[in-house]
Amino acid sequence: MKKSILSLASAMLLAFTANAQKVEFEEYDLSNGLHVILHQDSSAPLVTVEVMYHVGAKDEVDGKTGMAHFYEHLLFTGTKNIPRGKWSEIQSARGGSGNASTDWDRTNYYQTYPSNELELALWMESERLLHPIIDQKAVDTQNEVVKEEKKLRMDNAPYGKVIYGDVYKHIFDDHNYGRPMIGYIKDLDAAKLEEFQAFYDKWYMPNNAVLVVAGDFEKSQAKTWIKNYFEPIPKRSAPERNKIVEKERTAEKRVKEYDANIQLPLVGMGFKTPSFKERDAKVLDVISTILSNGKSSRLYKKLVDDKKMALQAFSFSRPLEDYSVYLIGSILSQGTNADDLIKEVDEEIVKLQTELISDEDLQKVRNKFENQFVASNSSIRGIATTLARNYLLAGNTNRINKELEIINSITKEEIREVAKKYLAKDRRVVIDYLPASQKK
């Protein structure tokens, strides 16, 4: 009886939390195809404007990589009506801040201001789309910026090839997810100005984007400004997307990577997994949490605490539109043999593939996802990005309100079956990530 009461109380708490955290929004399209999402939140006098474009590193062609990430920098240069180099200065003077990011699937630009500066933010984003400065001076300047970023954040970052996805080339043989998200510097150096301009013309258009306004604002006024600033931007023919199908791996592959910035080896296992839109991807997120989320997780307790074979144990999924990537990794302690550690990891994977997890472990996972959900929706910036991504890449804006529902519906049997399906040895790439000093 006590267990039933506790189960009922737990279910009521989950239902209350999910309802309390529901994100309300309105969405509609302008005549030029720009999708608009409005989310009001008057808890603080702030507003975020985000524009996300459906273009990323996977959309680049051979020999012309790096353009998607390059535009993340280039479009802060200025516009026809914003003087070169003055973008950030204008933001700061009006109490705002902003940035941008790129991955393999999308590029987004965002600004957060005091609520009374919403019109400024909308005008600046419309300028970025309609009147950007794309000339040789801007290209040359940003090329140096990109090189410096690659050097500082990737080339000189310990375990950088794992963190920034350069090791995906071993996981994907055909799909463009196997190329570095930042592209190849040699391609950017060789690109002509007209090629940069052509990339912009191909991908940057209102009917290949979503605009999100989130925070404290008056809706009718926001709609008027959005119509005035964005609807005059011409719609263009959307580019054709070539769906690349990655073949299923049928035998384990083992590779080596070297890093001059590390002293201790890392051994990793990489798997191609389903698009983040699929239910199985969520089940794999649950599996990742069971294996290595926190010091009480299975891999951490076994490899770090009990056997002292690793200094760190981790696993994570990189959710992407066509496929996702799932990585399991450990930084080896001094003297640990990589093959011995792999055997220990395999034991834990086999347990997930053959045994049902306990009710306690399942509830612990649900609690962690609930906390993550609350944290990710604790800022208007986080909500804006999630709304944009769910619309643009998943085709369902309201997915933001279904996350916990999906997680809480995942069963122990599903966890076992998904572990069997995707974490099989013949589907994986084993990566020995070694100090450069060990290279022969």
Side-chain angles (χ1 to χ4, degrees), residues 27-89:
E27 57 185 335
Y28 61 96
D29 290 323
L30 296 182
S31 61
N32 59 7
L34 177 68
H35 193 73
V36 179
I37 302 172
L38 305 178
H39 164 68
Q40 291 182 295
D41 179 352
S42 58
S43 60
L46 296 171
V47 65
T48 288
V49 172
E50 174 159 338
V51 182
M52 184 177 288
Y53 297 89
H54 198 174
V55 57
K58 78 173 181 194
D59 299 302
E60 298 160 351
V61 299
D62 290 340
K64 297 179 183 179
T65 67
M67 295 249 178
H69 172 259
F70 193 84
Y71 267 97
E72 176 196 322
H73 294 269
L74 189 65
L75 293 188
F76 284 93
T77 300
T79 74
K80 177 181 176 182
N81 298 303
I82 299 175
R84 190 188 301 268
K86 295 295 184 180
W87 186 283
S88 296
E89 187 178 311

Side-chain angles (χ1 to χ4, degrees), residues 250-359:
T250 57
E252 179 183 273
K253 181 169 80 168
R254 190 156 185 174
V255 298
K256 291 182 180 180
E257 284 284 349
Y258 296 92
D259 189 335
N261 302 295
I262 64 171
Q263 299 297 319
L264 294 173
L266 178 153
V267 63
M269 300 175 185
F271 302 84
K272 175 183 73 68
T273 53
S275 162
F276 84 99
K277 296 177 281 189
E278 296 186 28
R279 182 179 175 88
D280 281 356
K282 281 294 172 192
V283 181
L284 282 162
D285 286 344
V286 169
I287 289 171
S288 176
T289 301
I290 295 167
L291 283 177
S292 69
N293 188 315
K295 294 186 177 181
S296 63
S297 63
R298 294 184 179 187
L299 288 181
Y300 194 96
K301 286 178 65 178
K302 181 178 188 178
L303 300 177
V304 180
D305 286 346
D306 297 344
K307 295 185 176 287
K308 313 296 184 187
M309 298 177 74
L311 295 181
Q312 186 58 267
F314 64 88
S315 66
F316 64 89
S317 174
R318 176 155 276 159
L320 295 167
E321 183 180 19
D322 296 344
Y323 302 100
S324 297
V325 175
Y326 184 64
L327 288 174
I328 301 172
S330 303
I331 299 176
L332 276 58
S333 298
Q334 193 77 34
T336 297
N337 179 275
D339 290 332
D340 292 339
L341 186 137
I342 289 171
K343 289 178 184 177
E344 300 291 345
V345 174
D346 281 343
E347 282 186 8
E348 297 306 314
I349 293 175
V350 169
K351 285 180 185 178
L352 286 172
Q353 293 170 332
T354 57
E355 302 172 12
L356 295 179
I357 68 169
S358 67
D359 290 337

Side-chain angles (χ1 to χ4, degrees), residues 88-338:
S88 296
E89 187 178 311
I90 292 171
Q91 276 185 338
S92 299
R94 305 288 278 272
S97 61
N99 212 327
S101 69
T102 308
D103 70 13
W104 286 265
D105 297 317
R106 92 299 176 276
T107 306
N108 70 325
Y109 304 84
Y110 52 89
Q111 303 185 72
T112 298
Y113 283 94
S115 297
N116 62 340
E117 297 291 359
L118 173 58
E119 184 178 13
L120 172 67
L122 290 169
W123 172 73
M124 290 179 75
E125 288 302 331
S126 70
E127 276 289 298
R128 189 180 341 239
L129 179 54
L130 189 58
H131 300 128
I133 295 175
I134 307 174
D135 59 18
Q136 195 62 54
K137 180 178 179 181
V139 167
D140 291 343
T141 299
Q142 297 308 323
N143 202 5
E144 293 306 312
V145 172
V146 169
K147 287 178 181 177
E148 191 63 23
E149 178 186 2
K150 183 177 185 296
K151 184 187 301 180
L152 292 175
R153 293 181 54 194
M154 300 174 192
D155 296 345
N156 295 337
Y159 309 102
K161 294 179 183 178
V162 175
I163 297 168
Y164 294 104
D166 283 12
V167 295
Y168 296 174
K169 64 187 178 185
H170 301 301
I171 299 171
F172 294 97
D173 296 323
D174 301 309
H175 200 285
N176 287 345
Y177 288 157
R179 292 197 304 225
M181 187 277 294
I182 200 170
Y184 300 110
I185 296 298
K186 63 179 182 179
D187 290 347
L188 291 176
D189 285 342
K192 297 180 174 60
L193 176 60
E194 54 266 29
E195 291 174 326
F196 286 100
Q197 294 168 333
F199 185 88
Y200 184 89
D201 291 340
K202 181 177 181 179
W203 297 105
Y204 278 78
M205 62 189 74
N207 46 312
N208 194 43
V210 55
L211 164 68
V212 180
V213 179
D216 183 26
F217 62 92
E218 201 280 310
K219 189 177 288 187
S220 62
Q221 179 63 82
K223 287 183 174 181
T224 298
W225 284 331
I226 290 168
K227 182 178 178 66
N228 290 344
Y229 290 122
F230 286 91
E231 200 157 53
I233 302 173
K235 178 179 182 178
R236 298 201 303 276
S237 297
E240 292 186 11
R241 296 180 184 275
N242 297 319
K243 172 81 172 182
I244 302 173
V245 177
E246 180 70 26
K247 296 185 294 292
E248 295 298 335
R249 192 168 300 285
T250 57
E252 179 183 273
K253 181 169 80 168
R254 190 156 185 174
V255 298
K256 291 182 180 180
E257 284 284 349
Y258 296 92
D259 189 335
N261 302 295
I262 64 171
Q263 299 297 319
L264 294 173
L266 178 153
V267 63
M269 300 175 185
F271 302 84
K272 175 183 73 68
T273 53
S275 162
F276 84 99
K277 296 177 281 189
E278 296 186 28
R279 182 179 175 88
D280 281 356
K282 281 294 172 192
V283 181
L284 282 162
D285 286 344
V286 169
I287 289 171
S288 176
T289 301
I290 295 167
L291 283 177
S292 69
N293 188 315
K295 294 186 177 181
S296 63
S297 63
R298 294 184 179 187
L299 288 181
Y300 194 96
K301 286 178 65 178
K302 181 178 188 178
L303 300 177
V304 180
D305 286 346
D306 297 344
K307 295 185 176 287
K308 313 296 184 187
M309 298 177 74
L311 295 181
Q312 186 58 267
F314 64 88
S315 66
F316 64 89
S317 174
R318 176 155 276 159
L320 295 167
E321 183 180 19
D322 296 344
Y323 302 100
S324 297
V325 175
Y326 184 64
L327 288 174
I328 301 172
S330 303
I331 299 176
L332 276 58
S333 298
Q334 193 77 34
T336 297
N337 179 275

